[in-house]
Amino acid sequence: MWDPPGRSYESFARRLPDHLERLGALQVNHRPLSGPRPWDARPDAPGHPQDLPGRLAELREMTARLPRT
């Protein structure tokens, strides 16, 4: 699916619709190019939606007790 280094994103983007079609045929839950489906939304997820300052504060709290190197 991915190109070797030095190839273009456009090359990947041309192959992506076919790949997504295969994922759909295999019933693999994936995010379509049109965006998330209604059942993919996670309104119950902590911090949803969250702005950047809120997320940074959450990350500071989560990492506060990690040893500093």
Side-chain angles (χ1 to χ4, degrees):
M1 183 67 210
W2 289 100
D3 285 331
R7 302 227 5 228
S8 69
Y9 173 79
E10 289 76 21
S11 172
F12 166 76
R14 280 193 305 272
R15 294 188 312 277
L16 185 57
D18 290 338
H19 183 66
L20 294 178
E21 188 174 330
R22 285 191 291 274
L23 292 177
L26 294 169
Q27 298 181 343
V28 173
N29 188 22
H30 65 282
R31 184 177 191 261
L33 293 176
S34 59
R37 298 175 192 98
W39 57 86
D40 290 331
R42 298 200 45 218
D44 60 326
H48 179 81
Q50 196 171 37
D51 60 8
L52 181 58
R55 180 64 176 147
L56 292 174
E58 182 182 33
L59 290 171
R60 277 193 297 280
E61 181 180 330
M62 291 169 53
T63 60
R65 290 185 287 281
L66 292 175
R68 305 282 183 215
T69 58

